[in-house]
């Protein structure tokens, strides 16, 4: 049975801190008391117990309709859990043959759902994953009337910390942008089963802004150049860009607002606390004319090619201006009018990749106070939730005086910081626990929704525990803040469990159980493969923020003749690019011996007969094969570049053709699983359109976001090319393949004609090709074809047994 002594430790640590630094004791105590007050207020806002119980029952109906009568759910007070949030699992005391077998109680419906998931995992061997990572596997659950029983005393599991936060402000664009209610319903079910009780709820906010700005005489037409297109809303919201990919139709605005109301309603029914947006100072250009005396600054260029004012250099209203508080208050009041009084927690990231105009701590403190005032004017109990990414990404600006000024600009307990990158670069360790400010330990993990097998399982299994029990800890939650979801399911399953674990997890033992649940049965080869993956792919300790820079999906915008010479590499070499290179060519991230992961793939293939028809096995097999081949392709690419540098036309032809063959073969592999298809992304975008014009716009948004977005000119590509790159069938063969073929043809022509590589000509040709593809409307499959196991075996024999 798990227990939480976090609160007792908080007071104990507070006393110890008094001995060392007496002046900080009031901070520790006021912080603790303030968070307790926030929790109490949020509890009072929850929907009635009967509504939550019904919502949990409906979730069971969607998840496991055959067992609807096998479980009884009941909401209990925190008193039943020693004053904490918890779930309790017991055998049901009724003996009716067709009656409930298992009783699950929880302090909210989220706790009930978490308890159900825990029982299905650890008593029935079931597995819950996103549909795109293999889906839900329930075949191991015994029939009704035969469910496994618990020991007499049952099980109680408490949350060691109050909150389990979910989402990044950009997940709404990288992953959720084209979702309808059916997909959102599945995601909210997934959240509840994983114990998420503090999710971001950002959908539909443009409709709220439209209504808010109307009261400040900003017309709908004025907003056409303010809102970004559907796939770029996250960056328009943050003030990085404006207008790009837009304008938004009234159809879009109305649909997204209606969808948001469904999302919030379901979150509330399950006992979650939605985190709503607030005003960060980002304003439309029209406001500069309507309020000419307002302190509105035009920000600098954010990643454009030519500083085109149509897209870049947004307008920021200074928080010190009285208009700031008026707009911020009006926005939150409009949300309350639309959704009701559903939360006290609001996200605001005023300085995300936009530094304040001065580093003066007094100025920064005033800014923070104004941001909070705009929230609290509309909601007197408002709590500011802020992503702590700026303290890492702009650490040269945010020194201790500036950090402390911002964090202490609001009353204690009125700000919560997301330690966004704590899995790799924890800020809590170097900031005196955010100078006494409550924070949430977060896993960032994924950038741009890239498909890449990667993780640090040891960090996940121990990092939140180390932070929570550290001296003077101000940690109040755990969270998952990935930029894109639906990849690396093992990472998110373990991270979700850390919301309920008060001790470190023995990862290797956990992985054995995980693989058995995920695939439906134990297999020695698969267990051995996962042991290798644990020590390699999922053991990235180099401190590098992983972003897929494999050469297949990274624009080759460089002249090899100007690069430092690199040694020809035999295939299979674990390091394929000299660390001393001073070229502009990016290095693909590699943190493990490739030959070890190739062994894991061989073991995985050997278990294929045991897992015929398993969607989870198929997904992992395809992903692992893709991982092995994409790393091999990196080595082949370096050999092609080396051949060019040595003016060896025959070797250049051999390795460039081999690289192109790998792209074709990986595309064929990805086509064998429904979850690696470009077509599903494009069709989901088009399904939201209500007319041909919207369909064309949405498809362009979808194609552009995953390739080369933001402005280009004839010879300069966007600085944001390939950030959201994807290994998707269709995208590889129709986008990355012609790009590589065009580049290699230019290299070959250079050698044959004995002239310098014409980088500008290559750029001009590719940018035209890219823009043409982005404007296209070719149809791509939405259903898999081919036998994934047979294809993977054939590719292993072709490339790995040489």
């Amino acid at each position: 049975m798990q227990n939480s002594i976090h609160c007792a430790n908080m007071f104990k640590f507070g006393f110890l801190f008094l001995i060392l630094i007496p002046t900080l004791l009031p901070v520790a105590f006021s912080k603790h008391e303030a968070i307790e007050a926030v929790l109490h207020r949020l509890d009072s806002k929850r929907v009635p117990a009967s509504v939550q119980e019904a919502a949990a029952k409906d979730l069971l109906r969607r998840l496991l309709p055959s067992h609807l009568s096998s479980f009884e759910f009941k909401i209990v007070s925190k008193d039943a859990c020693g004053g904490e949030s918890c779930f309790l699992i017991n055998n049901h005391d009724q003996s009716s043959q067709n009656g409930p077998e298992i009783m699950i109680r929880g302090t909210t419906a989220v706790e009930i759902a978490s308890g159900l998931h825990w029982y299905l995992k650890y008593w029935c061997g079931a597995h819950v994953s996103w549909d795109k990572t293999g889906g839900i596997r329930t075949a191991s659950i015994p029939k009704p009337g035969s469910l496994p029983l618990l020991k007499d005393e049952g099980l109680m599991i408490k949350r060691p910390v109050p909150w389990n936060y979910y989402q990044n402000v950009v997940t709404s664009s990288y992953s959720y942008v084209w979702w309808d209610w059916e997909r959102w319903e599945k995601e909210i079910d997934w959240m509840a089963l994983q114990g998420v009780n503090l999710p971001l709820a950002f959908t539909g906010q443009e409709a709220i802004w439209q209504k808010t700005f109307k009261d400040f005489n900003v017309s709908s037409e004025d907003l056409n150049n303010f809102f970004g297109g559907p796939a770029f809303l996250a960056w328009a919201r943050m003030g990085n860009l404006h207008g790009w990919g837009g304008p938004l139709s009234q159809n879009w605005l109305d649909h997204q607002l209606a969808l948001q109301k469904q999302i919030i309603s379901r979150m509330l029914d399950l006992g979650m606390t939605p985190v709503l947006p607030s005003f960060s100072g980002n304003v439309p250009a029209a406001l500069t004319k309507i309020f000419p005396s307002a302190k509105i600054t035009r920000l600098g260029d954010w990643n454009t090619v030519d500083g085109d004012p149509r897209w870049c250099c947004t307008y920021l209203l200074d928080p010190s201006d009285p208009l700031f508080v008026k707009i911020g208050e009006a926005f939150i009041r409009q949300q309350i009018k639309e959704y009701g009084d559903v939360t006290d927690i609001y996200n605001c990231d005023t300085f995300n990749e936009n530094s304040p105009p001065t580093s003066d701590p007094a100025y920064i403190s005033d800014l923070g106070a104004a941001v909070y005032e705009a929230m609290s004017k509309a909601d007197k109990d408002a709590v500011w939730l802020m992503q702590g990414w700026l303290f890492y990404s702009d650490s040269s600006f945010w020194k201790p005086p500036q950090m402390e000024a911002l964090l202490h600009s609001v009353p204690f307990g009125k700000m919560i910081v997301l330690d966004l990158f704590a899995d790799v670069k924890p800020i809590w360790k170097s900031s005196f626990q955010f100078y006494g400010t409550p924070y949430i330990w977060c896993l960032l993990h994924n950038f741009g929704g890239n498909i890449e097998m990667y993780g640090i399982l040891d960090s996940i299994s121990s990092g939140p525990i180390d932070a929570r029990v550290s001296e003077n800890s101000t940690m109040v939650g755990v969270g998952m803040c990935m930029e894109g979801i639906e990849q690396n399911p093992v990472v998110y399953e373990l991270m979700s469990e850390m919301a309920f674990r008060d001790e470190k997890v023995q990862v290797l033992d956990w992985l054995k159980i995980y693989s058995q649940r995920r695939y439906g049965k134990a297999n020695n080869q698969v267990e051995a493969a996962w042991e290798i993956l644990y020590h390699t792919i999922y053991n990235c300790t180099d401190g590098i923020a992983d972003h897929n820079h494999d050469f297949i999906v990274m624009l080759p915008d460089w002249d090899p003749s100007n690069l430092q010479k690199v040694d020809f590499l035999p295939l299979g070499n674990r390091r394929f690019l000299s660390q001393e290179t001073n070229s502009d060519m990016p290095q693909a991230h590699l943190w493990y011996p490739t030959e070890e992961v190739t062994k894991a793939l061989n073991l995985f293939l050997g278990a294929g007969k045991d897992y015929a028809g398993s969607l989870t096995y198929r997904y992992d097999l395809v992903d692992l094969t893709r991982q092995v081949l994409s790393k091999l392709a990196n080595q082949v690419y370096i050999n092609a570049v080396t051949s060019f540098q040595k003016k060896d036309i025959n070797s250049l032809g051999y390795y460039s053709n081999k690289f192109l063959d790998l792209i074709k073969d990986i595309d064929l592999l990805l086509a064998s699983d429904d979850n690696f298809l470009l077509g599903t992304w494009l069709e989901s975008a088009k399904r939201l359109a209500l007319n041909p014009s919207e369909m064309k716009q949405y498809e362009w948004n979808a194609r552009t976001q995953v390739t080369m977005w933001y402005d280009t000119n004839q010879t300069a590509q966007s600085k944001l090319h390939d950030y959201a790159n994807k290994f998707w069938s269709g995208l590889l063969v129709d986008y990355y393949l012609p790009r590589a073929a065009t580049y290699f043809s230019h290299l070959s022509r250079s050698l044959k004609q004995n002239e310098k590589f014409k980088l500008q000509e290559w750029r001009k040709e590719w940018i035209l090709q890219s823009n043409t593809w982005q404007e296209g409307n070719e149809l791509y499959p939405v259903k898999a074809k081919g036998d994934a196991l047979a294809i993977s075996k054939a590719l292993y024999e072709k490339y790995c047994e040489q």
Side-chain angles (χ1 to χ4, degrees), residues 292-311:
S293 62
K295 295 179 183 177
I296 299 176
T297 303
R298 188 150 203 188
L299 298 176
D301 181 19
W302 185 79
N303 288 317
T304 67
V305 172
D306 295 322
D308 192 329
R310 292 177 300 166
W311 324 119

Side-chain angles (χ1 to χ4, degrees), residues 383-677:
V383 176
W384 177 2
L385 181 79
M386 182 186 73
Q387 292 191 147
W389 176 250
L390 71 170
F391 300 136
Y392 164 74
S393 66
D394 197 8
S395 58
S396 61
F397 178 90
W398 293 99
K399 301 295 186 183
Q402 289 74 33
M403 283 183 66
E404 190 169 6
L406 179 59
L407 295 172
H408 288 181
S409 64
V410 303
F412 282 98
K414 297 297 186 178
M415 176 184 281
I416 300 170
V417 181
L418 301 176
D419 197 354
L420 207 70
F421 204 14
D423 52 321
V424 177
K425 302 287 185 181
I427 303 298
W428 69 267
K429 290 184 178 181
S430 58
S431 64
F432 302 102
Q433 306 267 351
F434 292 95
Y435 301 98
T437 303
Y439 77 94
I440 294 176
W441 191 103
C442 294
L443 166 84
L444 180 50
H445 182 258
N446 178 273
F447 291 85
N450 293 162
I451 295 173
E452 168 89 303
M453 293 181 73
Y454 156 83
I456 321 172
L457 296 183
D458 283 341
S459 176
I460 295 170
S461 67
S462 61
I465 307 299
D466 291 339
R468 179 175 58 82
V469 302
S470 64
E471 190 171 7
N472 307 306
S473 176
T474 57
M475 177 180 163
V476 294
V478 296
M480 295 181 287
C481 298
M482 61 285 117
E483 290 191 349
I485 64 167
E486 298 176 322
Q487 33 74 32
N488 287 286
V490 65
V491 169
Y492 298 98
E493 174 124 356
L494 180 58
M495 187 63 230
S496 295
E497 285 197 12
M498 299 313 295
F500 295 100
R501 291 192 177 273
D502 63 357
E503 294 180 352
K504 296 180 181 181
V505 174
Q506 300 301 312
V507 177
L508 198 53
D509 294 337
W510 183 88
L511 281 172
K512 289 181 180 180
I513 301 172
Y514 169 83
S515 63
Q516 184 174 342
R517 287 190 293 102
R518 181 156 171 81
Y519 311 127
K521 65 174 74 171
N523 179 284
N524 290 336
Q525 288 176 296
V526 162
E527 287 184 6
W530 269 106
E531 183 169 356
I532 292 173
L533 297 180
Y534 166 52
H535 291 298
T536 54
I537 283 176
Y538 292 110
N539 184 38
C540 182
T541 57
D542 60 14
I544 296 176
D546 187 66
H547 187 273
N548 196 318
H549 282 170
D550 288 343
F551 290 116
I552 288 176
V553 294
M554 184 53 55
L555 180 68
D557 190 50
W558 45 77
D559 179 356
S561 58
N562 293 331
L563 302 180
Q564 176 176 313
K565 292 292 190 295
V566 292
D567 291 334
F568 183 87
L569 297 177
L571 299 185
N573 192 297
R574 66 171 295 186
R575 297 294 176 192
F576 49 82
L577 190 58
S578 169
Q579 297 300 311
E580 290 81 31
T581 179
N582 56 9
S583 74
D584 292 330
M585 187 167 74
Q587 298 185 35
H589 184 201
L590 186 64
W591 61 97
Y592 59 83
T594 55
E595 61 271 17
E596 287 299 305
V597 175
T598 302
K599 291 178 186 177
L601 174 58
N602 189 32
L603 289 166
F604 219 81
L605 286 166
K609 291 181 180 179
D610 271 3
Y611 298 122
S614 169
L615 298 181
T616 46
Y617 172 80
R618 185 181 73 181
Y619 174 88
D620 288 351
L621 173 65
V622 170
D623 203 20
L624 182 55
T625 308
R626 175 211 55 76
Q627 183 87 3
V628 169
L629 295 183
S630 65
K631 301 310 174 191
L632 174 64
N634 290 335
Q635 301 175 46
V636 172
Y637 182 87
I638 291 300
N639 287 344
V641 170
T642 304
S643 299
F644 173 84
Q645 293 174 327
K646 294 180 177 180
K647 300 183 186 261
D648 186 339
I649 187 69
N650 292 328
S651 290
L652 173 62
Y654 173 80
Y655 286 109
S656 60
N657 286 331
K658 191 177 184 70
F659 187 79
L660 299 178
D661 284 345
L662 275 160
I663 296 178
K664 296 173 189 175
D665 285 339
I666 295 174
D667 190 274
L668 179 69
L669 169 74
L670 298 173
S672 68
D673 189 288
D674 292 332
N675 306 303
F676 294 93
L677 305 179

Side-chain angles (χ1 to χ4, degrees), residues 10 61 104 131 319 366 565 609 620 645 674 711 728 800:
M10 287 298 300
R61 182 180 289 108
I104 301 179
D131 285 353
D366 289 343
K565 292 292 190 295
K609 291 181 180 179
D620 288 351
Q645 293 174 327
D674 292 332
D711 61 334
W728 282 341
C800 303

Side-chain angles (χ1 to χ4, degrees), residues 552-553 663 706 722 725-726 731-732 734-740:
I552 288 176
V553 294
I663 296 178
V706 300
D722 300 304
N725 64 66
K726 303 290 190 296
L731 191 60
L732 261 70
D734 275 4
Y735 189 83
Y736 297 126
L737 178 65
R739 181 169 75 183

Side-chain angles (χ1 to χ4, degrees), residues 364-380:
I364 292 172
S365 181
D366 289 343
L367 290 186
V371 170
Y372 178 70
E373 184 183 1
M375 299 178 193
S376 59
K377 280 267 190 176
D379 181 348
K380 63 181 178 59

